[in-house]
């Protein structure tokens, strides 16, 4: 008899066979290494670039190169693999973002306060400020000197390296703070990162006019000069980001979850990259676009609202099929907006509408539309396109689910889907669910990572 009800399928059950579990374990291992090493948009793009270059992707675009890549200032990247179908039929495109919430150094960051030299920060993206207090932080980024020399910075990840930290108020003196609402209790201007504590070794004389007014900051500048050859002014032209220190790791006695920073959206970056490299060549012209700035609204040269993607498609069409107008390629493309969604939170079920909430371990999750409160600001996929993908995944036995991001009037969020929809192409959101999204330690299910890779591969191979 035909089964009439619908229930999402648990990915752990789908992939219970030993060969799947072995492949899942191997994939998880590589994913945690990737997460541990790629903590900024620059590091992520560099990693993707290296993997693609190793696999033979070429920066020279012409009729003979069938695997091409291009990055924009090391912060956004487009890559494509040619299929047998005419390009005029469009691309099979997966879009993901490489930026993550973090604490950026201000342009003039260094201050001295009683007992410590600190860096002032301006947070990037949606954070819950209290999650960044009293935890080890690492510094990543670049300092660009006046002569143009680019000095890469990564400190706080290796065993012998120090970490940094924002101190939190002790509970004994937090009585007043405890009465405040959360948005008042934690102020952005108090997110000051402790960089050092000791004055320099030179003995200082009383009333010596050479004795610096701020000895801790002066010592810190000496240390920065020794290590990086920089002066305070060089920090003005730097991009320094404080991120949670330390590697991603398995969570749970059954090792079934991955805990780590930046899984929104690097879980999709990783699985999309693996899918692009791994998919069997066929008809489809496969492509990925990785964007920066999604977490702050996708504006900016390297964000989804820039023309970079469009220019890439124009150049690609010119190289592979010059007789075709690139607008036909754009219009006829099919895209997955590969971004994460919120998993049903076991401790805060009240923010979700259970039947339309994503569950950890049930495979990648479709969001037919994004936006919030009355679908405002939404990109909505056609039922026809959604049905085609549903049919594909059902035929291949790939677990999938569908959800909205929380209860209708509670909030919601956007993705890059609408920037692709602007070209008239078919686009739908599809990505795994996370717990603790946007926190310094996000959680994903190993079964979902594996299922997402299968889903992205199947999309490319369809
Ligand atoms: Mn995201
Ligand atoms: Mn996000």
């Amino acid at each position: 008899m035909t089964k009439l009800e619908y229930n999402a399928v648990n990915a752990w059950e789908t992939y219970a066979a030993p060969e799947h579990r072995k492949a899942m374990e191997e994939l998880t291992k590589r994913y945690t290494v990737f997460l541990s090493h790629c903590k900024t948009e620059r590091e992520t793009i560099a990693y993707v670039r290296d993997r693609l270059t190793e696999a033979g992707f070429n920066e020279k675009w012409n009729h003979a190169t069938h695997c091409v890549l291009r990055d924009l200032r090391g912060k956004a990247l487009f890559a494509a693999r040619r299929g047998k179908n005419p390009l005029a039929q469009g691309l099979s495109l997966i879009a993901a973002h490489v930026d993550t919430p973090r604490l950026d150094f201000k342009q003039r960051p260094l201050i001295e306060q009683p007992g410590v030299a600190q860096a002032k920060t301006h947070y990037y993206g949606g954070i819950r400020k209290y999650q960044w207090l009293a935890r080890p932080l690492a510094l990543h980024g670049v300092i660009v000197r006046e002569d143009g020399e680019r000095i890469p910075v990564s400190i706080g990840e290796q065993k012998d390296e120090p970490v940094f930290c924002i101190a939190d108020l002790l509970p004994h003196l937090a009585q007043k703070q405890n009465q405040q609402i959360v948005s008042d209790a934690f102020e952005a201007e108090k997110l000051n990162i402790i960089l050092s504590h000791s004055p320099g070794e030179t003995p200082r004389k009383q009333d010596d006019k050479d004795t610096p007014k701020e000895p801790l900051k002066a010592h810190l500048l000496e240390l920065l000069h020794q290590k990086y050859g920089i002066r305070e002014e060089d920090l003005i032209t730097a991009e320094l980001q404080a991120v949670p220190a330390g590697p991603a790791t398995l969570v749970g006695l059954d090792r079934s979850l991955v805990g780590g920073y930046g899984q929104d959206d690097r879980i999709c970056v990783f699985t999309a990259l693996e899918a692009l490299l791994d998919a069997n060549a066929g008809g489809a012209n496969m492509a990925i676009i990785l964007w920066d700035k999604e977490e702050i609204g996708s504006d900016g040269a390297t964000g989804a609202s820039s023309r970079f993607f469009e220019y890439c498609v124009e150049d690609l069409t010119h190289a592979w099929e010059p007789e075709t107008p690139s607008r036909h390629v754009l219009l006829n493309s099919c895209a997955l907006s590969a971004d994460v969604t919120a998993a049903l939170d076991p401790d805060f079920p009240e923010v979700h509408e259970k039947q339309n909430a994503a569950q950890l371990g049930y495979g990648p999750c479709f969001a037919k539309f994004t936006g919030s409160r009355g679908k405002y600001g939404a990109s909505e996929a056609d039922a026809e396109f959604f049905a085609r993908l549903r049919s594909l995944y059902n035929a291949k036995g790939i677990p999938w689910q569908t959800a909205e991001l929380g209860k209708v009037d509670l909030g919601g969020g956007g993705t890059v889907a609408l920037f692709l929809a602007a070209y008239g192409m078919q686009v739908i959101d599809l990505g795994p669910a996370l717990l603790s999204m946007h926190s310094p330690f996000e959680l994903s299910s190993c079964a979902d990572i594996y299922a997402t890779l299968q889903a992205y591969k199947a999309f490319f191979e369809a």
Side-chain angles (χ1 to χ4, degrees), residues 9-11 14-15 362-364 366 389-401 430 447-448 450-459 461:
V9 176
N10 187 303
T14 307
Y15 299 121
Y362 279 74
F366 284 107
L389 290 168
R390 175 188 141 210
S391 155
L392 170 72
Y393 293 153
N394 284 345
K396 293 213 165 228
I398 295 169
W400 57 272
Q401 52 180 329
L430 181 70
D448 290 340
Y450 187 70
T452 302
L453 171 59
Q454 308 313 316
Y456 291 169
K457 250 175 83 172
F459 170 73
E461 289 171 354

Side-chain angles (χ1 to χ4, degrees), residues 302-322:
T302 48
S305 68
S306 98
R307 308 270 184 273
F308 171 63
F309 168 67
E310 194 178 325
Y311 296 159
C312 287
V313 174
E314 262 177 45
D315 289 348
L316 190 73
T317 314
H318 185 76
W320 287 356
E321 210 171 284

Side-chain angles (χ1 to χ4, degrees), residues 97 99-101 125-126 264-265 294-296 339-340 414 437-438 442:
H97 67 91
D99 60 319
T100 42
D264 170 8
D265 189 27
E294 193 275 344
E295 296 293 1
I296 56 168
D339 207 344
V340 298
M437 198 205 287
H438 279 213
E442 300 176 313

Side-chain angles (χ1 to χ4, degrees), residues 18-93:
E19 68 269 22
H20 283 304
R21 290 300 172 90
K22 213 175 144 233
M24 191 187 292
E25 206 177 291
E26 191 270 338
L27 183 71
T28 306
K29 231 179 241 165
R30 288 193 297 119
Y31 174 57
T32 49
V33 172
F34 160 79
L35 266 189
S36 307
H37 286 97
C38 298
K39 294 201 175 178
T40 67
E41 66 282 4
R42 285 176 190 265
E43 289 164 356
T44 307
I45 293 295
Y47 170 92
V48 172
R49 239 189 106 92
D50 286 351
R51 290 281 310 274
L52 290 171
T53 309
E54 257 169 53
F57 280 71
N58 207 309
E59 280 177 84
K60 289 200 186 78
W61 297 23
N62 57 48
H63 202 77
T65 50
H66 285 202
C67 290
V68 296
L69 87 112
R70 176 180 296 166
D71 80 75
L72 184 60
R73 298 188 196 110
K75 294 181 172 190
L77 182 143
F78 174 86
R81 261 183 80 182
R82 195 167 187 178
K84 289 193 191 76
N85 296 343
L87 198 53
Q89 290 180 15
L91 293 166
S92 293
L93 175 73

Side-chain angles (χ1 to χ4, degrees), residues 30 33 53 72 150 162-163 174 188 193 199 242-243 263-264 303 339 345 371 383 415:
R30 288 193 297 119
V33 172
T53 309
L72 184 60
R150 200 142 127 225
V163 295
I193 300 170
V243 297
Q263 300 200 64
D264 170 8
D339 207 344
D345 191 316
T415 62

Side-chain angles (χ1 to χ4, degrees), residues 336-351:
L336 296 179
S337 164
D339 207 344
V340 298
T341 189
L344 179 77
D345 191 316
D347 295 320
F348 294 91
E350 65 275 15
V351 302

